[in-house]
Amino acid sequence: MSVNHYKSLGSRVFDTLNIVLLTGLALITVLPLLYVLAGSFATESEIATRPFFLWPEKFVTDTYEYIFGTGTFVRALITTVCVTAVGTVVQVMLTFTMAYPLAKRYLPGRALVLNLVIFTLVFSGGMVPTYLVVRDLGLLDSYWALILPLAINPFYLIIVKSFFQELPQALEEAARIDGCSEMGVFFRIVLPLSKPIIATFSLFYAVGIWNDYVSPLLYIDDSSKWTLQVLVRQLTSADAENALAQLDSVFFPAEGLKFAVIVIATLPILLFYPFLQKYFAKGVLIGSVKE
């Protein structure tokens, strides 16, 4: 007989309520996304007359043709992709290279540095002092202003440090006996064993950079250097018409344009996640066991 046969009435009711609740939460999450996607392919009149729909009456691609035919949007998309790619590599490397020595208990001054890292979790310099630092470093209107101020997340750093501390010391000692330097141990032993956590925090950093619109608003004055998220914010704000008119000489007055830009800004991250998902389920030491 099946296991479900032995479940009590209360257990079955609990499972049913869980399914209903989780299904409702899933619909609340997915339906707005489907509405935005459908609206990006709908006509202007349909968007104005139908308050909510999941399937447009007539599929049109006018908004996407306009987006990819306008230099402003293409430039913002390329800028966002490049900043995200470079920023993710820089931030992951800086985080891991700082976390590795902090994982060594014999490191002189380790406790002081860790206390300073923990201090930044509670207190920060604030927006104005950070802006002044970026300005004095000459990073205003530079893409590095979108990468370096947030190069190391202290919370991520502590997690990566704890991960390194759990790695078997015998592997590192064996590598040193074979003649590996400290850098050789890090790049040849530690990093290959860290693929799951590298993939995880690469995704976290990439999503953070991709979705960031505060930093470009603060540090980038040149509209030609705007990222996609800033463009989305300008288009969906109350002053969207004036914002878009300033960006391009040709103005396309379509509500569907807002939906299409949101889809383009969201889709890359949704497509990127499945390629890294396989690393999340892997064991921490799978490389040392099988290879």
Side-chain angles (χ1 to χ4, degrees):
M1 301 180 68
S2 65
V3 178
N4 292 333
H5 179 76
Y6 296 100
K7 284 187 176 181
S8 64
L9 177 61
S11 178
R12 291 197 293 270
V13 171
F14 178 77
D15 290 344
T16 303
L17 291 177
N18 268 342
I19 292 173
V20 173
L21 177 62
L22 294 177
T23 302
L25 292 176
L27 291 175
I28 292 175
T29 304
V30 173
L31 287 180
L33 298 177
L34 295 178
Y35 169 63
V36 171
L37 180 61
S40 67
F41 289 101
T43 61
E44 180 75 5
S45 59
E46 183 176 1
I47 296 174
T49 56
R50 298 178 65 186
F52 181 80
F53 57 91
L54 299 178
W55 191 268
E57 295 178 350
K58 179 182 179 182
F59 274 87
V60 293
T61 59
D62 295 344
T63 53
Y64 290 100
E65 292 174 3
Y66 172 77
I67 286 175
F68 291 107
T70 304
T72 300
F73 295 97
V74 175
R75 183 172 58 247
L77 180 60
I78 295 175
T79 298
T80 306
V81 171
C82 293
V83 170
T84 301
V86 175
T88 300
V89 173
V90 171
Q91 293 180 354
V92 169
M93 285 303 302
L94 290 178
T95 300
F96 277 68
T97 51
M98 183 176 179
Y100 178 67
L102 290 178
K104 308 303 177 184
R105 299 185 184 277
Y106 55 79
L107 179 71
R110 172 179 178 271
L112 174 61
V113 176
L114 282 177
N115 287 332
L116 292 176
V117 171
I118 295 173
F119 181 83
T120 61
L121 286 173
V122 184
F123 303 99
S124 65
M127 182 181 297
V128 175
T130 303
Y131 178 86
L132 295 177
V133 171
V134 172
R135 184 198 64 184
D136 292 342
L137 290 175
L139 297 178
L140 290 181
D141 260 342
S142 168
Y143 294 129
W144 289 110
L146 311 181
I147 299 173
L148 295 181
L150 302 175
I152 299 179
N153 185 302
F155 181 68
Y156 296 168
L157 176 68
I158 293 174
I159 296 177
V160 175
K161 177 195 74 71
S162 301
F163 173 85
F164 286 154
Q165 287 178 329
E166 297 298 323
L167 293 176
Q169 294 300 313
L171 294 174
E172 298 183 23
E173 293 172 0
R176 293 189 183 96
I177 293 174
D178 289 339
C180 261
S181 63
E182 201 66 48
M183 294 297 292
V185 172
F186 177 67
F187 285 104
R188 296 183 181 181
I189 304 298
V190 175
L191 287 186
L193 295 177
S194 306
K195 289 180 181 178
I197 199 167
I198 290 175
T200 300
F201 287 103
S202 294
L203 180 63
F204 289 168
Y205 275 126
V207 171
I209 298 173
W210 183 273
N211 291 332
D212 184 22
Y213 70 89
V214 175
S215 296
L217 282 177
L218 290 176
Y219 309 134
I220 304 297
D221 293 328
D222 187 357
S223 60
S224 65
K225 295 182 178 180
W226 278 1
T227 61
L228 192 60
Q229 300 303 332
V230 177
L231 205 57
V232 172
R233 179 190 177 277
Q234 297 299 102
L235 289 177
T236 56
S237 65
D239 197 27
E241 293 189 6
N242 292 334
L244 188 56
Q246 293 175 0
L247 290 176
D248 219 306
S249 59
V250 179
F251 177 63
F252 189 75
E255 286 294 320
L257 183 63
K258 299 179 181 179
F259 294 129
V261 173
I262 293 174
V263 170
I264 294 174
T266 307
L267 193 59
I269 293 297
L270 295 180
L271 296 178
F272 185 62
Y273 175 79
F275 293 100
L276 296 179
Q277 186 179 12
K278 62 179 181 180
Y279 292 105
F280 299 157
K282 285 187 176 181
V284 171
L285 302 180
I286 190 171
S288 62
V289 174
K290 291 189 176 182
E291 295 180 2

